[in-house]
Each structure stands twice: as structure tokens, then as C-alpha cells.
Amino acid sequence: MPVIRTLSKVAKQALLNPGCGCQPITVAVRTISFSPRQVTSDASFHSVSFSETDHPKVLITGGLGQLGVGLAKRLRKRFGNKNVILSDIRKPPSHVFYSGPFIYSDILDYKNLREIVVNNRITWLVHYSALLSAVGEANVSLARDVNITGLHNILDIAAEHGLRLFVPSTIGAFGPTSPRNPTPDLCVQRPRTIYGVSKVHAELMGEYYHHRYGLDFRCLRYPGIISADSQPGGGTTDYAVAIFHDAVKTGKFECNLKPDTRLPMMYIDDCLRATVEMMEAPADTLSMRTYNINAMSFSPEELAQEVQKQLPDLEVTYDIDQVRQAIADSWPMNFDDSNARNDWGWKHDYDLPELVQTMLNYIGSDSRIAQTN
């Protein structure tokens, strides 16, 4: 039976270097035992904690971010309100707290996570906790803790309890030496941000746990996600959300990327639907465990022009953030998601015109939209 044991840094120092002057210690060993399973490289493995006729019990970490609340709403409609638990380390707003189960969960607290999974009989785990690209560069040590150490806790618990685990990846998992137009599922990945490095690490660790321990790991590389429900949260593609809020509130928008910076993008409804479809896909349809998904690709200039078709008085200026620009210049311009489309039938609904119309309508700009045929 495979066993993982972890020691604290102090314990390791005392054991590996007896002359270090450390005081005698009692070492607490955390043992994680995985059920013995023979798993081949192309194993068709399903989580065994619930039958196919039962609804899964879902835990979403980092649930107060851009995607968690929306995914919880979608899954609750599908599986029932009580079967989807949203979690975060922050206090939820009232509308989130009263919409369904919410609990405190710190992914760096292994014991807390394990208790949540056991006490709530979790069978699916959606791991959204992460520091995004620009925020991560401003605090590398925190990003390393949250994006890497937290992931290790999630992987160990998911493997121990036979969970189906979803961990999102990103366009940021690629770097300047990756093919950019289009970027395939399998190619060189040498990201230049801690966010990107941590996501490559997550992809590889998840696939390793799948092949080594039979973990039902699933991963989608998200493009830039555009949503009217949440404010920009520190990502390089946040300009594509901010432009709508600023256009409605002030009629002016200052973009921090160059006008011709092309990146893959997706409306949040497509993203959430893709996530659910990936989680529900039969294991034998998955030729890989990490897929690109895409909907559209555009530049700030093209987005601004499309918004101006509805709000012709919108003024757009550019004040380039060199850090974010360097990040964007290392990312894919367009995603090749043909494997997702062929394997489990992925198909997007929103192109750029539909995206712009939906965002402006949602934000409540009807009174300022030009009357056109």
C-alpha cells in the first residue's frame, strides 16, 4: 500500500543533522494511505465513493472567487442545494451565505480539509483556490504557499478518499517558447510567472497521481474568463471585464495592455458549462487529463470597437502596465481545443458580439445603448 509521510522543517533538520543544536523533539508523522488499486496508464477510473445513480457531494475551494459562486449555482440546480458546499477563508456576502451550504476552509490546513471531506462525505472536489498572475508576481511566497503547498494537500486528500478532483489550469501555463498561434494541448511549457509555474506543476502532479494512484484527476486550461458578476481580481486578462464596468459607469476606459495584444477569451457561462461537462464525461472518453478549451480570441482594440458599436461615446486610452504586458506577450494568442471538442463534445456558445451584448445587458446599460437595427 503506497504511503506518504511528511515531516515539519524543524523535524527534518533534527533528523538529517543531529549536530544542529536542535532540542530533542517528538516527531508527528502524517500518514496518508491510498487504497490499493492496480491502475494502468490508460485506466478508466471512476470515483468509488458514490454510485452512478446517486448525486455527487461537491466541495468547491476558493469559492468566493470569479468562478466558484457561479459553478455552485449551476451544480446546485443539477444535484440539489445541499449537495454542493462552497468554501473560502473569507466572509461571504449575505446572498452567497443564504443561497446554500457555505463553510470555512483553509487549503493550507490539512486537518481542516480532511475533516470537511470526511464529515460531509465529499465525492467531487473542485479546487479553485489560487493567486492569479499579477497578484502572484507581487507576492511570490504567498503564491507558492497557496498554489503549490495547498495543491499538495488537495491531491493527498483526494487520493486518500477516492475523490474526483478538478483543478483548473490556464493560458498562463505556457511561456514565450511555446507555440502561440495556435497553442496545442501538448507542447513546450516554460512559463515566466509563479502563477504559470504553479499551474504546470498542478497539471503534472495531477496526472502523476492519476497514473500512480488512480486519482480521477481532471483539468481544463481556461482562457481569460469574462464575467459581469465579479470585479476584476488581479489577472492579466482583467481588462476584458473592466472595460464593461467603466463603459457603463463613466464612459471612459483606460487599458493596461497594448491595443493589439491578442489573447484567448471565454464568457463565464461557457466556462462553467465546460467544467461541468468535463466532470461528468465518462472516463473512457478522455484521451488525456488536461485539455485546452477556447471560445474566441481578440485584442483590446477589437473588444473596444465591438463595445463602441453599442456605446459609441466610449473613450478608450492606453496606459501600458509593463509587468502585465510582459506576461501577456508570453501567453498563447489562440488555443487549439480540438481534442476537447473531439473527445467529449466541447462546443462554445458565445462569440465576441454575443459576449459584448450579454455583458452590457447584464450590467444594466440599456439606457445608454445606442438604438440601432
Side-chain angles (χ1 to χ4, degrees), residues 81-328:
N81 209 52
K82 68 179 182 179
N83 289 319
V84 181
I85 301 174
L86 205 58
S87 71
D88 209 301
I89 60 173
R90 294 178 291 157
K91 181 180 178 181
S94 295
H95 74 278
V96 172
F97 184 77
Y98 291 109
S99 66
F102 181 93
I103 58 176
Y104 173 89
S105 176
D106 180 356
I107 62 168
L108 297 179
D109 185 340
Y110 176 85
K111 184 176 182 292
N112 171 247
L113 272 176
R114 199 164 187 258
E115 288 176 348
I116 290 170
V117 168
V118 171
N119 291 343
N120 294 281
R121 303 184 70 246
I122 299 300
T123 53
W124 285 12
L125 203 166
V126 178
H127 180 50
Y128 274 152
S129 295
L131 261 66
L132 301 183
S133 53
V135 174
E137 290 305 290
N139 195 337
V140 172
S141 62
L142 180 60
R144 186 177 61 235
D145 286 343
V146 173
N147 295 6
I148 296 178
T149 303
L151 170 77
H152 293 174
N153 288 338
I154 292 291
L155 286 169
D156 286 348
I157 290 169
E160 178 185 5
H161 295 284
L163 309 185
R164 181 170 297 180
L165 174 63
F166 178 83
V167 179
S169 190
T170 167
I171 55 176
F174 298 95
T177 57
S178 305
R180 297 186 66 210
N181 192 20
T183 302
D185 285 304
L186 300 176
C187 64
V188 173
Q189 291 178 260
R190 290 294 184 272
R192 297 283 179 85
T193 66
I194 186 61
Y195 177 60
V197 169
S198 69
K199 286 302 184 181
V200 174
H201 178 77
E203 294 176 12
L204 295 177
M205 286 295 289
E207 291 178 15
Y208 172 77
Y209 269 60
H210 168 66
H211 293 296
R212 180 68 177 84
Y213 301 120
L215 174 64
D216 192 357
F217 171 80
R218 302 176 182 218
C219 177
L220 294 176
R221 294 193 188 107
Y222 291 157
I225 304 302
I226 301 173
S227 166
D229 285 330
S230 58
Q231 294 295 320
T236 300
T237 58
D238 278 355
Y239 84 87
V241 176
I243 186 173
F244 294 102
H245 292 280
D246 290 356
V248 171
K249 292 176 181 177
T250 68
K252 298 180 180 180
F253 173 64
E254 183 177 88
C255 183
N256 53 26
L257 295 181
K258 294 178 181 177
D260 61 350
T261 305
R262 181 174 299 277
L263 292 168
M265 298 285 187
M266 179 178 287
Y267 183 57
I268 190 170
D269 283 11
D270 277 340
C271 173
L272 298 177
R273 180 171 55 82
T275 302
V276 175
E277 290 177 3
M278 174 62 162
M279 286 295 281
E280 292 188 318
D284 58 8
T285 67
L286 305 178
S287 64
M288 55 188 65
R289 289 285 158 164
T290 300
Y291 288 88
N292 294 343
I293 54 168
N294 196 21
M296 65 196 90
S297 183
F298 56 75
S299 67
E301 184 176 47
E302 290 169 338
L303 176 59
Q305 290 171 352
E306 193 67 36
V307 174
Q308 286 168 335
K309 291 179 182 178
Q310 305 294 324
L311 299 173
D313 293 333
L314 172 64
E315 298 179 14
V316 179
T317 57
Y318 296 88
D319 183 16
I320 311 306
D321 181 325
Q322 296 302 324
V323 173
R324 295 191 187 212
Q325 186 64 51
I327 292 172

